[in-house]
């Protein structure tokens, strides 16, 4: 069976073999409900407790600050809607480049009388300092700024932003889904009130996420029921996925430094080849994740290039996987002031633990062949 070279690690990652091995018993002989009082239930509860400690250790938090959810989207919704439900309607501010699972719940708050303000970014995709000051002057109640952008890989100075927000008496949340396992993530050092994580971006299973939250923050739950997860996320726990999440966190953080260095070398070679072919790398001068390249092929359609690259044996993306059904150009690039034609030509390549230099060289060769072919077809169409 044909299997393209996988270069879309920001969308999801294959299950780490060690994670799979840890999960298997909880899909077979260890099937207890963690709320049960008998031995099967006690084993499940102990496994969840151990996983919670592993996730907390990966981000410098206390185990009691980790609330398991079904995914990063649920964790983002839990904080935004759960915090807003216990406040008087006020101003919520989010960066203009947030993932849809932050943008959409923030928009929904307007039905309850909240005002929404998007914080502008500069041409590199970093929070604009002048607009940030204006936002603080407007006295927001809630702020959400992602730690690492899923498309450009750009890193925000969340520690400084969170400090400013605390000074302004606003609750500050950060979506750290793309950052975990790629750069050091320290809940305490960042100074945020809450932070979102996801398992499937780090070699863990789909269907497991977490909201790491300061114990002094109160939220209204989205799901009412049996009172699991400190009453913030009722529902029988997915023990296998939670166990896998814990092991994935432990493994990703253990190899983080060496892997980040290796991936940065591959990314630099990839970008050197793309620039030599006339491509423009977005946010090249900004601090970024070591594995992410977002570039534009002027005169080409990004979706067309991605489809042709897939047929040539390379799986990449034209932007966020969660926005792939949207025909509009990347809202991240538009917020950065990138012209619409250039944004339509955008292609994202994201690298991971199985990516080799041979994969990068193969991609560059295939990309050059494809763009040469498309240029020839364009020239023939113009001549005719």
């Amino acid at each position: 069976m044909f299997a393209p070279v996988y270069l879309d690690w920001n969308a999801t990652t294959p299950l780490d073999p060690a994670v799979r091995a840890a999960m298997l018993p909880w899909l077979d002989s260890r099937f207890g409900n963690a709320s049960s009082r008998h031995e099967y239930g006690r084993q499940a509860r102990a496994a969840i407790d151990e996983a919670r400690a592993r996730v907390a250790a990966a981000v410098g938090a206390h185990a009691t600050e980790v609330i398991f959810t079904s995914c990063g989207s649920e964790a983002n919704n839990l904080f935004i809607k759960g915090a807003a439900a216990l406040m008087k309607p006020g101003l919520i501010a989010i960066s203009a480049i947030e993932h849809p699972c932050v943008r959409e719940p923030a928009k929904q708050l307007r039905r309850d009388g909240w005002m929404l303000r998007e914080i502008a970014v500069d041409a590199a995709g970093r929070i604009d300092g002048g607009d940030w000051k204006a936002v603080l002057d407007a006295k927001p109640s809630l702020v959400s700024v992602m730690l690492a952008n899923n498309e450009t890989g750009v890193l925000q100075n969340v520690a400084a932003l969170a400090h400013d927000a605390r000074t302004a008496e606003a609750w500050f949340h950060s979506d750290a889904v793309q950052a975990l396992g790629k750069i050091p993530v320290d809940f305490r050092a960042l100074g945020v009130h809450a932070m979102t994580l996801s398992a499937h971006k780090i070699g863990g299973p789909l269907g497991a996420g977490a909201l790491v939250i300061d114990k002094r923050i109160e939220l209204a739950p989205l799901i009412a029921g049996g009172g699991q997860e400190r009453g913030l996320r009722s529902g029988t726990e997915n023990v296998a996925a939670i166990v896998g999440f814990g092991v994935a966190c432990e493994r990703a953080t253990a190899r983080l430094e060496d892997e980040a260095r290796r991936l940065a070398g591959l990314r630099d070679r990839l970008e050197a080849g793309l620039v030599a072919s006339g491509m423009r790398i977005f946010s090249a001068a900004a601090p970024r994740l070591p594995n992410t390249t977002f570039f534009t092929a002027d005169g080409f359609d990004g979706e067309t290039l991605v489809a042709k690259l897939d047929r040539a044996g390379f799986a990449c993306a034209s932007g966020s996987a969660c926005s792939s059904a949207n025909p509009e150009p990347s809202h991240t690039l538009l917020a950065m002031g990138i012209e619409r034609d250039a944004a339509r030509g955008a292609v994202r390549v994201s690298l991971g633990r199985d990516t080799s230099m041979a994969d990068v060289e193969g991609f560059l060769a295939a990309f050059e062949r494809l763009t040469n072919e498309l240029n020839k077809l364009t020239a023939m169409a113009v001549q005719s």
Side-chain angles (χ1 to χ4, degrees):
M1 181 177 176
F2 173 72
V5 173
Y6 190 66
L7 298 174
D8 197 16
W9 290 73
N10 283 9
T12 196
T13 61
L15 197 64
D16 186 306
V19 172
R20 179 179 182 275
M23 292 175 63
L24 282 177
W26 301 100
L27 296 168
D28 187 14
S29 58
R30 293 186 165 189
F31 53 82
N33 185 324
S35 296
S36 297
R37 302 297 181 124
H38 47 61
E39 180 60 18
Y40 288 90
R42 288 194 295 272
Q43 288 180 1
R45 176 57 59 200
I48 290 172
D49 290 344
E50 183 178 355
R52 197 185 310 276
R54 284 174 163 161
V55 173
V59 295
H62 192 274
T64 58
E65 296 173 313
V66 175
I67 305 299
F68 286 120
T69 64
S70 66
C71 58
S73 292
E74 184 189 339
N76 284 336
N77 274 262
L78 174 58
F79 179 78
I80 292 170
K81 294 180 178 179
L86 298 181
M87 294 179 169
K88 288 183 178 180
L91 173 66
I92 178 170
I94 65 172
S95 81
I97 58 172
E98 290 300 310
H99 191 277
C101 64
V102 168
R103 290 167 61 87
E104 292 308 312
K107 289 178 182 178
Q108 290 175 5
L109 292 186
R110 293 186 294 199
R111 296 185 305 213
D112 298 321
W114 283 76
M115 295 178 291
L116 172 61
R117 169 75 181 270
E118 290 195 355
I119 311 162
V121 296
D122 61 21
R126 303 292 304 277
I127 291 293
D128 180 85
D131 199 51
W132 173 236
K133 184 178 183 304
V135 167
L136 292 175
D137 289 343
K139 301 296 183 184
S141 299
L142 295 173
V143 178
S144 186
V145 177
M146 63 192 349
L147 183 53
N149 185 263
N150 48 299
E151 295 183 359
T152 62
V154 168
L155 306 176
Q156 302 295 340
N157 188 352
V158 164
L161 298 172
H163 177 270
D164 292 344
R166 282 179 177 270
T167 301
E169 300 183 340
W171 288 5
F172 190 98
H173 163 264
S174 186
D175 181 342
V177 164
Q178 286 295 342
L180 182 64
K182 298 168 188 164
I183 61 170
V185 177
D186 189 318
F187 179 67
R188 208 70 65 212
L190 288 172
V192 297
H193 291 97
M195 180 172 71
T196 294
L197 308 174
S198 181
H200 76 102
K201 306 292 188 180
I202 57 168
L206 295 161
L211 182 69
V212 184
I213 183 166
D214 188 312
K215 289 183 289 184
R216 294 167 291 185
I217 298 296
E218 292 188 16
L219 301 177
L222 299 183
I223 302 173
Q228 291 90 345
E229 298 301 303
R230 287 173 33 202
L232 291 177
R233 206 286 179 181
S234 291
T236 302
E237 297 94 339
N238 184 345
V239 182
I242 289 171
V243 167
F245 193 3
V247 174
C249 279
E250 191 170 73
R251 288 179 62 78
T253 52
R255 62 193 176 203
L256 188 152
E257 187 175 345
D258 290 342
E259 185 67 352
R261 187 182 306 112
R262 185 185 75 86
L263 290 175
L266 294 178
R267 182 199 64 188
D268 291 348
R269 168 62 191 123
L270 171 66
E271 292 187 352
L274 290 170
V275 170
S277 297
M279 302 300 111
R280 175 166 43 132
I281 311 296
F282 297 119
S283 305
R288 289 179 292 154
L289 294 173
N291 78 315
T292 305
T293 294
F294 202 27
F295 67 94
T296 188
D298 288 336
F300 297 108
D301 176 71
E303 291 287 352
T304 299
L305 284 174
V306 166
K308 288 185 174 295
L309 284 164
D310 185 40
R311 288 194 287 273
F314 297 89
C316 53
S318 58
S320 168
C322 294
S323 302
S324 59
N326 186 349
E328 285 297 302
S330 160
H331 79 274
T332 295
L333 295 181
L334 296 181
M336 291 163 55
I338 302 299
E339 56 275 19
R340 295 183 76 86
D341 285 346
R344 285 195 181 91
V347 175
R348 183 187 70 184
V349 175
S350 48
L351 317 176
R353 69 174 187 269
D354 295 339
T355 310
S356 67
M357 185 61 78
D359 294 334
V360 171
E361 297 293 353
F363 174 85
L364 289 171
F367 186 78
E368 185 173 8
R369 286 195 304 272
L370 287 173
T371 52
N372 285 340
E373 289 172 7
L374 289 170
N375 279 326
K376 287 179 182 177
L377 289 173
T378 301
M380 290 172 61
V382 170
Q383 290 175 359
S384 62

